[in-house]
Amino acid sequence: MENVDKRVAGSLTRFYVVALMVVAFLTLGGLFLIRKTIMSLNYDGRVVNVAGRQRMLSQRLTKLSILSIESIPHADSASFDSLLHVWKESHQQLASRRLKIGTEVVTWKSRPLDEMFKRLDPVFEQIYESFLVIGNPKSPLSEKQIVLKLILEKEPVFLANMNEIVFQFDKESYARLKNLETIEWIMDIMTILVLLAEGLLIFRPVVNTTKRAIRLVTESERALAESNKKLESSNNELVKTQKDIVRIEAEKYELQLAEDRIRAAALIEGQEEERKRFARELHDGIGQMLTGLKLHAEKLMQVPFEDEKQRLRFEQLVKLIQDIIQTTRQISYNLMPSVLGDFGLSAALKLLCEQTSDSTGMQVSFEGTTERITMPQPMEIGLYRIAQEALNNAVKHAEASHIVIQLIRRESKIILVVQDDGKGFIIGNLKDQKHSFLSQNGIENIRTRTELLNGDLEIESELNGGTRLIIKLKLN
């Protein structure tokens, strides 16, 4: 036993040396992190300066564009092309997260900044292309005036986005600084705790405690031998426990499936609410603004133009605005058709068939009751989305000439049927068919929505014999 005590004492001494090495490691690690963060903060300041310079360059280029088009004398001797090149190059470096500063290249990782630059890129490209037109001496004055109007329209958007980017750079830099402060506090506390552990627990108290523990271990070996005999007689209890564990795991799996189903229902409900909100904003916001823009443009049509080309271009502009209004209305309708809430599912499906037939040239017809069927709103929306998904996939992939949507009420059941005379497929090979519209996400979306509505989905199909989807729901 005495030899064992000596070995334990030697082990504790080695542990004490290791603890000292941990303290040294924490100290050196803290210095390394502080130095690295300071260098990072230095680079952050330069990145913020470049991002801020982008706003100044944008305003300066806009000013030079106005002065150039209006032929106003100015004292700005900077080259327009040179400023435009610096503006373009700096934007590309910021967007690609590789900013060249002197002989070094600064890189960083930030998902929010990537999203901001992704939203900013279309606006930047429009302004940049417009600046290229203005900087081209061969461009006619009328075209320069048009692109200048676009620049003045898009520049506030660009400046606002750049402000957000600059603030995000500054926010992330401040976050790294706070992170450094937190790490420093943690390392200081860990160092203090290690030193306290060495003084209070490791040196003498632990040695004495370990000596007593070794004696207790020797005594416990005898108790362990007796316990082993008792364990041999408890095998039956262990088997029973294992069965209980299997049962609990099965119940846990069922609960997880139920949670997944509830989560999917909540996700779909959230998507529908977001679609409804977005459709309303498109119709009441952008749609109204575009209508006002069209009215102003039509009033301007009454003003005499200098030449026929200007008049034709303005007519094209009015037509383009009308097309945008129509497209906006169509998108708003597809997101959440108003006829669904006003007149019910039958009217919405009939209108969906008519619109699809007009837009694709296919023969798409609706069959079923024309009277409104009273049902819960989630069921109404879910059936419409199922029909919409099946119809879109049939149009894209089934190569059909005739598609029929049927809505049938049979006692306490609602039956939705989507049938086409397309190329069809073999049901057994559903997962292996790469070009079948049912082998992609379409069937999964339809199946998920059907399950969430507590319904049944049936698929009937054969090669060159068309496909038929049948969804049956109980109407509570």
Side-chain angles (χ1 to χ4, degrees):
M1 180 62 65
E2 183 178 358
N3 292 332
V4 174
D5 293 343
K6 290 181 179 180
R7 288 198 300 271
V8 172
S11 298
L12 291 174
T13 302
R14 288 192 295 272
F15 183 78
Y16 183 78
V17 174
V18 171
L20 292 177
M21 294 177 65
V22 169
V23 173
F25 174 79
L26 291 174
T27 303
L28 294 176
L31 293 175
F32 172 78
L33 289 174
I34 292 173
R35 179 175 178 81
K36 183 177 180 180
T37 305
I38 291 175
M39 293 178 64
S40 174
L41 293 175
N42 185 32
Y43 288 138
D44 288 346
R46 298 184 183 181
V47 172
V48 171
N49 289 337
V50 173
R53 187 185 65 183
Q54 287 296 93
R55 297 178 297 180
M56 180 273 294
L57 289 176
S58 171
Q59 295 173 325
R60 193 173 180 184
L61 288 167
T62 303
K63 181 194 73 175
L64 290 176
S65 300
I66 297 174
L67 295 175
S68 174
I69 292 176
E70 300 297 333
S71 300
I72 300 174
H74 58 89
D76 196 338
S77 60
S79 169
F80 184 89
D81 292 337
S82 177
L83 291 177
L84 185 59
H85 174 73
V86 173
W87 189 57
K88 173 72 172 179
E89 184 179 38
S90 299
H91 178 82
Q92 291 176 342
Q93 291 179 1
L94 289 172
S96 62
R97 298 172 295 166
R98 291 182 61 83
L99 182 63
K100 186 175 181 181
I101 299 178
T103 58
E104 299 177 349
V105 176
V106 180
T107 61
W108 63 89
K109 293 182 179 179
S110 175
R111 182 174 296 177
L113 286 172
D114 290 344
E115 293 294 331
M116 289 180 179
F117 276 108
K118 186 176 181 181
R119 293 195 304 267
L120 181 62
D121 276 340
V123 178
F124 176 84
E125 290 298 332
Q126 288 180 334
I127 299 177
Y128 178 73
E129 294 296 332
S130 300
F131 280 145
L132 289 178
V133 173
I134 293 176
N136 186 1
K138 297 181 180 180
S139 300
L141 180 59
S142 60
E143 185 178 358
K144 290 183 179 181
Q145 290 175 342
I146 292 174
V147 298
L148 178 59
K149 182 178 179 182
L150 178 62
I151 291 173
L152 294 176
E153 179 183 349
K154 296 295 182 180
E155 186 185 29
V157 180
F158 175 81
L159 294 177
N161 280 272
M162 284 306 302
N163 283 337
E164 293 179 1
I165 290 173
V166 171
F167 291 150
Q168 183 64 25
F169 272 123
D170 185 69
K171 178 181 177 182
E172 293 181 1
S173 176
Y174 180 75
R176 283 191 286 272
L177 182 62
K178 296 298 291 183
N179 186 45
L180 172 63
E181 182 179 350
T182 302
I183 293 174
E184 185 177 4
W185 275 105
I186 292 175
M187 287 192 169
D188 291 341
I189 293 173
M190 290 178 64
T191 302
I192 293 173
L193 291 176
V194 171
L195 292 175
L196 290 174
E198 290 174 357
L200 299 176
L201 302 175
I202 297 176
F203 192 64
R204 287 186 179 179
V206 175
V207 170
N208 296 330
T209 303
T210 305
K211 290 180 180 180
R212 291 192 297 270
I214 292 175
R215 288 193 293 269
L216 292 175
V217 167
T218 304
E219 295 174 359
S220 66
E221 288 179 352
R222 294 191 296 269
L224 181 62
E226 297 176 359
S227 298
N228 289 335
K229 295 180 180 179
K230 295 180 180 179
L231 287 175
E232 292 178 359
S233 63
S234 63
N235 286 336
N236 294 332
E237 293 293 331
L238 180 61
V239 171
K240 181 180 179 181
T241 303
Q242 289 176 344
K243 291 181 179 179
D244 291 339
I245 292 174
V246 172
R247 178 179 54 80
I248 292 172
E249 289 296 327
E251 293 175 354
K252 182 179 178 182
Y253 177 74
E254 293 296 329
L255 287 174
Q256 186 175 0
L257 289 179
E259 290 177 359
D260 292 341
R261 187 173 180 181
I262 294 173
R263 192 179 296 111
L267 178 61
I268 291 177
E269 182 179 356
Q271 288 176 346
E272 294 298 336
E273 288 297 326
E274 186 64 18
R275 284 179 175 177
K276 186 185 299 182
R277 183 190 66 81
F278 189 54
R280 184 170 56 251
E281 291 182 358
L282 275 179
H283 183 272
D284 297 339
I286 297 176
Q288 296 300 325
M289 289 189 287
L290 288 173
T291 302
L293 178 62
K294 178 176 177 291
L295 293 176
H296 285 298
E298 290 176 346
K299 289 182 180 179
L300 290 176
M301 284 287 293
Q302 301 174 3
V303 179
F305 293 90
E306 295 180 359
D307 53 34
E308 184 66 17
K309 290 184 178 180
Q310 290 183 353
R311 187 184 66 80
L312 292 176
R313 287 177 181 171
F314 205 86
E315 288 180 354
Q316 293 174 355
L317 176 61
V318 173
K319 185 177 181 301
L320 178 60
I321 294 173
Q322 180 60 36
D323 293 341
I324 294 174
I325 292 174
Q326 186 62 31
T327 302
T328 303
R329 289 175 178 172
Q330 186 62 40
I331 293 174
S332 175
Y333 180 84
N334 290 336
L335 286 172
M336 183 53 65
S338 58
V339 68
L340 183 63
D342 296 336
F343 302 102
L345 181 61
S346 298
L349 291 178
K350 184 178 180 180
L351 184 58
L352 175 64
C353 293
E354 293 174 356
Q355 290 179 343
T356 305
S357 180
D358 293 339
S359 62
T360 61
M362 293 184 178
Q363 184 180 357
V364 184
S365 57
F366 171 76
E367 298 178 1
T369 178
T370 58
E371 298 179 357
R372 181 165 187 172
I373 303 174
T374 304
M375 65 181 71
Q377 185 181 20
M379 180 182 293
E380 200 170 49
I381 295 175
L383 284 173
Y384 182 81
R385 294 302 181 196
I386 290 172
Q388 196 177 38
E389 181 80 32
L391 181 59
N392 289 338
N393 288 323
V395 169
K396 291 180 181 178
H397 305 290
E399 300 178 6
S401 60
H402 186 202
I403 304 173
V404 179
I405 295 181
Q406 295 177 316
L407 183 64
I408 305 168
R409 178 173 182 175
R410 187 173 297 165
E411 296 179 354
S412 61
K413 287 187 178 181
I414 296 293
I415 302 175
L416 176 66
V417 181
V418 182
Q419 184 173 357
D420 65 75
D421 59 355
K423 59 185 179 181
F425 58 92
I426 300 175
I427 299 295
N429 298 335
L430 179 62
K431 296 183 179 180
D432 299 330
Q433 289 194 9
K434 296 182 179 179
H435 301 290
S436 170
F437 73 93
L438 292 176
S439 64
Q440 307 300 327
N441 292 331
I443 187 61
E444 293 303 325
N445 293 337
I446 294 173
R447 192 188 305 278
T448 299
R449 287 186 179 272
T450 304
E451 290 177 353
L452 292 176
L453 295 173
N454 295 321
D456 297 322
L457 170 64
E458 298 179 12
I459 303 173
E460 300 175 359
S461 182
E462 59 182 16
L463 290 178
N464 300 320
T467 302
R468 189 182 188 199
L469 270 69
I470 305 172
I471 294 90
K472 298 180 180 179
L473 302 179
K474 291 184 179 180
L475 189 59
N476 295 329

